[in-house]
């Protein structure tokens, strides 16, 4: 079995207003933000309302994310987390199957 090289991957997606509202409520929940803060030893974080779908690793996407989001990966002022699967289920988001959320560190 060989590896299949993905040349182009469409990472665009659209969320229904209801799904987006539910997901954003879960991602801004103080208990969840506190859990992330403790994991990364940060005092305070805020959700930037930026989401992206992970993409296959390639020469153009070495970080597994759309190129326009790599600036957040490289910055010490942001944290990128996987959206928990139970959040996706509660928000009734089944496509895409995975999302990442970007949080800003508050100094």
């Amino acid at each position: 079995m060989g590896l299949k090289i993905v040349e182009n991957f469409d990472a665009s997606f659209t969320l229904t207003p209801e799904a987006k509202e539910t997901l954003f409520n879960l991602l801004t929940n103080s208990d969840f933000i506190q859990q992330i803060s403790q994991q990364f030893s940060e005092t305070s974080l805020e959700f930037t309302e930026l989401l992206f779908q992970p993409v296959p690793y390639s020469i153009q996407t070495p970080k597994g994310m759309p190129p326009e989001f790599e600036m957040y990966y490289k910055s010490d002022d942001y944290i990128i987390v996987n959206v928990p699967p139970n959040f996706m289920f509660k928000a009734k988001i089944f496509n895409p199957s995975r999302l990442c959320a970007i949080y800003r560190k508050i100094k």
Side-chain angles (χ1 to χ4, degrees):
M1 177 194 274
L3 293 175
K4 180 181 178 187
I5 297 174
V6 177
E7 293 294 330
N8 294 312
F9 183 84
D10 183 12
S12 63
F13 63 93
T14 304
L15 300 178
T16 65
E18 298 83 16
K20 184 176 179 180
E21 180 181 357
T22 301
L23 184 61
F24 280 24
N25 285 336
L26 292 166
L27 293 172
T28 57
N29 178 285
S30 60
D31 290 338
F32 183 66
I33 291 178
Q34 183 179 9
Q35 181 182 0
I36 298 170
S37 297
Q38 288 174 348
Q39 238 175 356
F40 289 94
S41 302
E42 292 299 327
T43 54
S44 187
L45 298 171
E46 75 175 347
F47 178 48
T48 62
E49 297 190 359
L50 295 173
L51 298 169
F52 66 88
Q53 178 182 6
V55 299
Y57 294 96
S58 71
I59 293 172
Q60 292 81 18
T61 57
K63 304 295 183 210
M65 63 182 62
E68 62 267 24
F69 291 99
E70 285 188 17
M71 62 184 254
Y72 298 104
Y73 176 83
K74 294 174 184 173
S75 174
D76 289 335
D77 296 327
Y78 294 90
I79 292 173
I80 298 173
V81 299
N82 285 311
V83 175
N86 62 321
F87 284 14
M88 301 280 287
F89 183 77
K90 286 179 183 176
K92 295 182 174 76
I93 300 170
F94 305 107
N95 191 14
S97 61
R98 292 180 55 217
L99 287 175
C100 293
I102 300 175
Y103 287 83
R104 180 182 305 114
K105 297 176 184 178
I106 300 173
K107 310 252 180 201

